[in-house]
Amino acid sequence: MENWQKEWAQNKYWLMSRSQKFYNEVRQLAKGNNWTDDKKKRYEEIIEEAKVAPLDRGNMMNAYQHVWGYFKKIATEAEKEQFRQLQADFTLNHDELGPFLAEMTKKYNVNYLLASTLLQSYFK
């Protein structure tokens, strides 16, 4: 059962970036770490549904803002300004925010985010 909590932790922000509804549903499934076969099955269904869900700027921005929360107190003023600028310029077709947050994750060595599927494609 421990694997499901770990997998949920890895997929948390990715799922949030796809759909707040999916994120909230899995959060409820994971509550108390009491995974049943039915919960595992529903979790897997949600992941598959999320993979084909259309991208939405608001959902992506919400997930990115949650990730930024790991850095907002430790980032330099220049990094804070860069985040604000990238956030203002963000579109689904022009995403420099994801790569920036991946760089921040590596720079500050945030283990939880290093495992996040939301940022995986940006790690080189």
Side-chain angles (χ1 to χ4, degrees):
M1 295 304 160
E2 185 178 302
N3 294 0
W4 290 99
Q5 276 307 103
K6 183 178 178 186
E7 188 176 326
W8 162 230
Q10 290 172 332
N11 287 323
K12 180 176 163 179
Y13 294 119
W14 174 81
L15 201 53
M16 184 184 287
S17 78
R18 304 302 288 202
S19 164
Q20 191 67 39
K21 176 183 154 287
F22 291 150
Y23 168 81
N24 288 337
E25 187 174 349
V26 174
R27 210 175 101 226
Q28 288 302 312
L29 291 175
K31 210 176 229 179
N33 197 20
N34 182 20
W35 288 97
T36 63
D37 288 340
D38 286 344
K39 285 183 177 184
K40 285 188 269 185
K41 183 176 187 263
R42 180 60 190 140
Y43 170 79
E44 290 167 351
E45 290 169 355
I46 291 168
I47 294 296
E48 291 306 310
E49 290 172 37
K51 286 179 182 177
V52 297
L55 293 177
D56 174 85
R57 183 188 188 282
N59 288 334
M60 288 295 296
M61 189 57 64
N62 182 40
Y64 283 160
Q65 287 169 337
H66 275 80
V67 170
W68 175 250
Y70 286 83
F71 309 112
K72 66 182 181 182
K73 291 182 179 175
I74 58 174
T76 66
E77 283 307 313
E79 290 166 340
K80 290 176 184 178
E81 180 53 35
Q82 187 174 1
F83 175 78
R84 285 190 289 273
Q85 190 59 55
L86 292 174
Q87 186 176 352
D89 295 343
F90 175 81
T91 68
L92 292 174
N93 294 324
H94 183 75
D95 179 2
E96 292 183 26
L97 204 47
F100 170 74
L101 291 169
E103 286 303 313
M104 295 288 289
T105 296
K106 287 193 291 189
K107 176 182 177 179
Y108 292 106
N109 198 32
V110 180
N111 288 329
Y112 187 79
L113 295 177
L114 287 168
S116 174
T117 53
L118 178 65
L119 302 175
Q120 284 304 305
S121 66
Y122 302 119
F123 295 134
K124 295 175 174 93

